[in-house]
Every structure is written in structure tokens, then in C-alpha cells.
Amino acid sequence: HLSPRLQALADHVPKRSRLADIGSDHAYLPAHLLLTGQIDFAIAGEVAQGPLANAQQEITRHHLADRLQPRLADGLAAIRPSDAIDCVVIAGMGGHLITQILTAGQPRYDRLILQPNTDQPLVRLWLMEHHYRLTAEDVVADDGHRYEIMVAQPGAATYTQEELQFGPYNIRQNQPTWRAKWLQEADRLRQLKQTLSKRGQAQTQAYQHYCSQLKAIEGVLG
Ligand code: SAM
């Protein structure tokens, strides 16, 4: 019984993975995967004491100490070579922070499962520039919010500006949750345009920017 967002992340974790959940807080995701027998080993990385204590509590509650190790560390420094981690989850933080964490960690992993709350295009660009290719994307509705999930694996890929902004799989899949996100953004841009128009500011750079953004969205939604 994970939340829809955490369940969607769990769905992308291959069976028998050795998992690192970076910024794990309560460690709900690795605990669930272990308790349901989908994986056998995980670490829960946390940079802060409070969230690490939450993870520790969850581990104790479910008697998972032999299979789920809490580590106090900044980003991927939580992972040791002997862990043989092949799947890394970084979820529930800003896209900029996610790229910083990825940049600071040198090793490559078979699979990254990322859920940036913001700056999704920046994360796609980071992946493209660091020899990762996207292998799946998803937009999940949960508790009145929409969350973007991306899965990447080592490999070369070149994405267009449109694909970087909207997500290559998102565009092809054309999911209702993804459409809803961009329909809402299009509405917001139309309102901004209208406001500027009324103020006689239709010649400004801001106005032109809203127009080009809106055109890009209308183009991709079809
Ligand atoms: N990953 C969980 C989820 O998706 O539900 C928890 C997300 S919580 C909002 C973000 C967590 O990331 C916080 O507990 C925070 O302490 C942790 N965090 C932020 N920067 C970090 C870093 N550089 N290394 C490890 N953890 C970090």
C-alpha cells in the first residue's frame, strides 16, 4: 500500500535489483520492495538526521536491518562499491538538485529512476549529456498533484528541444495525466498573455515568450 507516486516508482524497479534510494526519508519505497519480496538488498541514503531517523524507524518496525541499510551521506556517496548497486532511485526533490547529486557521483548504474518535482527538461538534458538514454517516462496523479517519473539506462541518445521539454516517451504515450499538465500550463500562459494585452504590453519580450511557449505546447498536444 504505497502512495500512487511511490507505487509508480516501484513499478520501474526490476526484480532482484540491488537498490539505492537516495533521499529516502521514511524509506517507504525500499521497505515495500523488500517486504513484498521484489528485491533482496537496499540502502536508504539521507543527508539529514531527521529523515535518516525516519528510515531507521521503518527498518526497525519491519525487522529489515539485515537487508536495508540506512546511510547518512550526501547523495551517491551513500553507495559503497561492495553494495553492488545496480538501480538508483532519486525521487521527490527538485530537478536541479537531482542533477547536482548525479554530477557529484562518478560511477555508472544500470538504471536510474528519477522523479524530479521541478526542472524536468534540465534532468533530461543532464541524462543526454552524460551518456544515459531515457527508457521510460510516466506522469502520475497523486493527491491533487502530477508527478513526472523518468527511467534512464546507459547509452547514447539525442533529444530535440521539444523532446527535452516534454519528454520523448510522454509525447508518444500521450497519457491523459501528461496532457492535463500541459493543458493547465497552456491556460496559465493564455491568461498571462491576456493580462499583458489589456495593459497594452503585447509588444514586450515577456509577451513574445508566452506566445512561443504556448505555440510549443499547442504543437505537441496536437
Ligand atoms: N524520496 C522520498 C520520496 O520520494 O517520497 C522522500 C522525498 S523527500 C521530499 C526529499 C529527501 O531528500 C529529504 O528527506 C532530504 O533530506 C533528502 N535529500 C536532499 N538532498 C539530499 C542529498 N544531497 N543527499 C541525500 N538526501 C538528500
Side-chain angles (χ1 to χ4, degrees):
H1 39 267
L2 291 173
S3 68
R5 179 182 64 87
L6 288 177
Q7 183 59 56
L9 288 166
D11 290 342
H12 289 288
V13 177
K15 303 273 176 292
R16 308 271 83 82
S17 291
R18 292 179 69 87
L19 177 77
D21 186 24
I22 303 300
S24 193
D25 196 355
H26 292 269
Y28 290 141
L29 177 68
H32 176 84
L33 290 166
L34 287 160
L35 289 168
T36 54
Q38 300 179 69
I39 63 170
D40 306 312
F41 177 80
I43 68 162
E46 254 303 333
V47 76
Q49 286 285 357
L52 190 79
N54 294 336
Q56 187 62 65
Q57 220 170 44
E58 193 71 3
I59 290 164
T60 307
R61 193 156 76 89
H62 294 295
H63 309 285
L64 289 170
D66 53 337
R67 294 179 290 157
L68 176 49
Q69 299 188 14
R71 303 248 176 96
L72 186 65
D74 186 350
L76 298 168
I79 301 172
R80 299 169 190 159
S82 58
D83 297 328
I85 295 301
D86 49 27
C87 181
V88 173
V89 173
I90 312 178
M93 46 187 112
H96 190 249
L97 178 56
I98 289 177
T99 62
Q100 281 179 331
I101 288 173
L102 290 170
T103 298
Q106 291 304 323
R108 300 186 70 69
Y109 301 96
D110 287 351
R111 179 179 291 233
L112 303 176
I113 304 173
L114 310 174
Q115 186 261 299
N117 288 333
T118 59
D119 295 304
Q120 294 86 6
L122 182 73
V123 176
R124 292 190 189 97
L125 182 65
W126 188 96
L127 292 169
M128 183 170 98
E129 289 181 341
H130 293 81
H131 209 77
Y132 277 98
R133 63 186 182 91
L134 288 159
T135 55
E137 290 178 308
D138 199 358
V139 182
V140 194
D142 187 343
D143 202 21
H145 295 274
R146 282 182 289 266
Y147 298 99
E148 290 208 32
I149 293 172
M150 12 186 126
V151 183
Q153 295 179 256
T158 310
Y159 301 116
T160 63
Q161 275 308 317
E162 186 175 74
E163 288 172 326
L164 288 173
Q165 181 172 359
F166 300 100
Y169 285 87
N170 289 332
I171 294 169
R172 266 174 265 163
Q173 288 163 185
N174 201 18
Q175 286 178 324
T177 43
W178 172 78
R179 290 189 70 84
K181 170 187 166 137
W182 290 106
L183 285 168
Q184 186 178 338
E185 176 64 7
D187 276 346
R188 191 182 74 88
L189 291 167
R190 281 189 204 101
Q191 274 168 28
L192 287 167
K193 273 180 63 182
Q194 204 176 32
T195 306
L196 289 192
S197 275
K198 279 187 194 150
R199 290 193 202 140
Q201 296 177 352
Q203 305 307 320
T204 58
Q205 277 198 1
Y207 188 87
Q208 295 310 317
H209 176 72
Y210 299 149
C211 287
S212 64
Q213 278 295 305
L214 194 54
K215 243 179 100 176
I217 295 170
E218 286 167 348
V220 82
L221 289 179

